[in-house]
Amino acid sequence: MSSIPEELRYTKDHEWVRESDGPQVVEVGITDYAQGELGDVVFVELPKASVAFKQRDVFGTIEAVKAVSELYSPVAGTILEINKALEQDPALVNRDPYGKGWMVKVKIKDPRELEGLLRADAYAKHVGE
Amino acid sequence: MTTTPETLKRTPLHDVHVALGAKMVPFAGFEMPVTYPSGINSEHRAVREDVGVFDVSHMGEFEITGPDRNAFVQRVTCNDVSALSPGQAQYSGILTKDGTFVDDCLVYRFEDKLMMVVNASNIQKDWDHILDQKAGANVRLRDISDETALLAVQGPKAEALVGQLTSIGVAMVPYYHFAQGKVAGVQCFISRTGYTGEDGFELYCRAADVEKLWHALVGAGRAEPVGLGARDTLRLEAGLPLYGNDIDDTTTPYEAGLAFIVKLEKGAPFTGLEALKHQKLDGVKRRLIGFKVTEPKAIARHDYPVFLDGTQVDVVRSGTVTPTVNAAIGTTYLPADRARAGTKIEIDIRGKMVTAETVKLPFVPHRTKK
């Protein structure tokens, strides 16, 4: 059983979204389930700050020893900050996917998109747990 | 290979892997552990620095008995069976008439029989191919894959671990030799072989006995369980070919840098001999070579296109990131005159061209006991 915190929102592509620093800013990462499926993360390729994405655009790539996976933007918005710690220690995604393994902070364009994301119970069902 | 979950086979240790928290994936028609909770990097390190155990019971085993057994295996493999004494093993190839690989294999010579060990994905194909050549040979062939389990114990501490579980003097078993006896009370063929570049043993036993053997080998202060993921990174670092990637039915042993398994002068005709004689005279047009990606954050994976001087020449055959040095490495076929260390190539990594430089195989020196 992977960890699926109640307070977060999720996508079917296994990203999580946390509201933080005010209502217009969210933190994004990949779920515990996703890191478990990928295995040891080797690097995370993230966009530069101020780049804008539409919902479901590819905003980055995550490579593990045996697998590579795209990262999909859960909401439309502009990158405010990326987690620079992942440059030195990409395995943070494995060790602490909902904490130190966060990937980007996004200034969201349309807060209503958050309502369309999965709640913890729906995501748990999605991954069969 | 496409399989539905219903048709996947399981090794006798399936429930043991699940209980350990292994991630199980379909591989060659089997449900196999790709990693355990400690992860590929940690499992890889355990084998390079300590000792790890792999369940490779999915591998196929054929037993060949009867008066013509040696002549028959001479015919269906390219290495020289007559060079083997009882108690010895050799790496060999099962070839098509064109000299390309049907499979690579190990041949074990016993006093009264031979055993061929083949890739799980090729068991049926190998069996049919070998059976087709049986006409006139007084031999009995038996596919003993299902009743045979196989554990690979690999790493610098493998000898100490296996040695304390058996009265057989395993320290005296040379590389590519084997002994028969009990390990942890389980009757085994104890073979000093492996697929990691490290010293170690492959233990063949009855499927019914393997759980007892596993529990004697695995645990705190003993061996760490290692999955197929680390098996692949370890074998690629060691420059050992994988069927379906580095070798297949379009590539020959000469092209793959495996001339040492082709014995044209062994004094017995074998399937593929004529084609390989010609290829040896003419010289190969391409050769398998290793490469290292020279740009950061780029992993060249299996099937990505490979370019030389702006023209696509091949694809990445095997490609991964080595857990030990965190560098992206791989193999590809290049035109023979360019297949040497220091050639610059380009690899199309999902639409982005990155540079790589060829290096001689292996990437990591072997530490097997000679």
Side-chain angles (χ1 to χ4, degrees):
Chain A
M1 285 291 264
S2 64
S3 150
I4 304 175
E6 278 298 322
E7 70 276 17
L8 304 183
R9 296 298 181 92
Y10 300 88
T11 70
K12 289 187 173 175
D13 303 312
H14 311 289
E15 283 87 18
W16 56 259
V17 176
R18 176 186 285 125
E19 292 184 58
S20 67
D21 302 339
Q24 301 291 317
V25 177
V26 293
E27 228 174 53
V28 175
I30 66 162
T31 64
D32 187 31
Y33 175 84
Q35 72 77 21
E37 287 297 299
L38 282 168
D40 290 344
V41 173
V42 178
F43 69 78
V44 184
E45 195 173 352
L46 295 173
K48 291 189 171 52
S50 83
V51 178
F53 291 95
K54 295 199 291 288
Q55 192 176 29
R56 297 223 64 225
D57 273 359
V58 172
F59 75 89
T61 308
I62 184 163
E63 295 232 26
V65 178
K66 292 299 286 182
V68 54
S69 180
E70 313 266 52
L71 299 166
Y72 296 96
S73 188
V75 288
T78 308
I79 304 292
L80 282 182
E81 190 183 340
I82 65 166
N83 183 359
K84 292 207 175 68
L86 298 181
E87 183 82 23
Q88 288 305 311
D89 189 4
L92 285 171
V93 175
N94 295 117
R95 291 200 303 273
D96 191 8
Y98 299 113
K100 292 190 175 116
W102 68 276
M103 290 175 182
V104 292
K105 285 184 184 167
V106 180
K107 173 132 181 84
I108 53 179
K109 198 173 164 196
D110 181 0
R112 283 172 304 182
E113 280 180 353
L114 290 174
E115 297 306 313
L117 300 178
L118 302 176
R119 291 180 187 280
D121 54 348
Y123 179 70
K125 205 171 280 174
H126 175 61
V127 299
E129 290 184 354
Chain B
M1 183 164 178
T2 319
T3 39
T4 56
E6 289 78 16
T7 64
L8 287 179
K9 294 172 80 169
R10 292 176 168 183
T11 79
L13 291 171
H14 176 270
D15 293 354
V16 173
H17 301 314
V18 171
L20 284 167
K23 190 171 137 197
M24 306 299 286
V25 297
F27 179 83
F30 283 79
E31 205 179 332
M32 297 295 291
V34 64
T35 56
Y36 297 86
S38 66
I40 289 183
N41 289 344
S42 153
E43 294 166 33
H44 182 105
R45 268 196 308 277
V47 173
R48 288 272 179 260
E49 294 166 12
D50 197 337
V51 55
V53 174
F54 307 73
D55 174 19
V56 280
S57 300
H58 61 310
M59 299 289 287
E61 293 88 10
F62 302 151
E63 185 188 83
I64 304 101
T65 50
D68 296 342
R69 60 186 182 276
N70 291 329
F72 179 70
V73 179
Q74 278 288 53
R75 186 190 303 166
V76 300
T77 62
C78 60
N79 208 334
D80 184 5
V81 176
S82 75
L84 290 177
S85 304
Q88 245 187 316
Q90 72 187 180
Y91 180 56
S92 191
I94 305 168
L95 305 180
T96 67
K97 283 199 170 61
D98 300 328
T100 60
F101 282 98
V102 175
D103 203 358
D104 59 342
C105 67
L106 288 179
V107 175
Y108 287 86
R109 184 169 180 178
F110 296 76
E111 290 285 355
D112 56 347
K113 65 181 175 189
L114 290 159
M115 181 170 76
M116 292 173 70
V117 181
V118 301
N119 283 297
S121 53
N122 292 335
I123 294 174
Q124 191 59 49
K125 179 181 76 166
D126 293 346
W127 178 259
D128 294 342
H129 176 85
I130 290 168
L131 213 60
D132 278 348
Q133 302 173 68
K134 190 179 168 293
N138 188 357
V139 293
R140 181 160 175 256
L141 292 173
R142 222 156 61 83
D143 179 355
I144 55 169
S145 305
D146 287 348
E147 66 206 66
T148 308
L150 173 55
L151 299 183
V153 189
Q154 301 280 298
K157 292 183 184 163
E159 183 183 285
L161 176 63
V162 175
Q164 74 190 30
L165 296 171
T166 180
S167 58
I168 302 278
V170 290
M172 305 303 289
V173 178
Y175 192 46
Y176 270 85
H177 284 67
F178 66 100
Q180 298 181 68
K182 283 190 173 167
V183 179
V186 171
Q187 187 63 34
C188 293
F189 309 146
I190 308 163
S191 168
R192 196 153 209 160
T193 48
Y195 194 46
T196 61
E198 296 298 325
D199 183 31
F201 298 89
E202 292 180 297
L203 306 177
Y204 298 84
C205 69
R206 277 189 295 268
D209 296 339
V210 71
E211 196 168 337
K212 184 177 175 192
L213 185 60
W214 173 274
H215 289 301
L217 291 164
V218 173
R222 286 170 288 156
E224 183 171 334
V226 186
L228 291 186
R231 184 168 162 87
D232 191 50
T233 54
L234 288 158
R235 71 92 196 159
L236 182 52
E237 280 187 351
L240 300 168
L242 172 63
Y243 192 90
N245 285 28
D246 308 284
I247 56 174
D248 57 28
D249 60 8
T250 68
T251 52
T252 71
Y254 288 137
E255 293 170 335
L258 299 172
F260 70 95
I261 67 170
V262 179
K263 301 291 157 61
L264 297 177
E265 311 297 333
K266 70 182 181 181
F270 63 89
T271 306
L273 171 66
E274 286 307 315
L276 290 181
K277 265 187 188 166
H278 286 294
Q279 192 173 54
K280 192 173 187 190
L281 277 173
D282 300 345
V284 293
K285 292 192 172 60
R286 58 175 185 169
R287 274 182 201 283
L288 188 69
I289 184 95
F291 65 78
K292 274 187 187 170
V293 177
T294 43
E295 295 176 29
K297 290 197 168 190
I299 302 173
R301 298 184 188 273
H302 178 59
D303 263 349
Y304 289 3
V306 172
F307 294 78
L308 177 67
D309 307 331
T311 306
Q312 190 184 343
V313 286
D314 199 38
V315 294
V316 173
R317 296 296 176 137
S318 293
T320 191
V321 55
T322 69
T324 26
V325 286
N326 213 21
I329 59 167
T331 59
T332 191
Y333 282 91
L334 287 190
D337 60 335
R338 306 292 295 280
R340 49 184 149 69
T343 301
K344 300 266 190 299
I345 57 173
E346 285 191 304
I347 300 165
D348 180 348
I349 298 185
R350 300 187 302 282
K352 189 182 164 208
M353 291 297 235
V354 306
T355 55
E357 188 173 311
T358 56
V359 293
K360 276 193 134 175
L361 294 169
F363 298 98
V364 169
H366 290 198
R367 296 194 297 179
T368 47
K369 295 275 155 73
K370 289 297 165 188

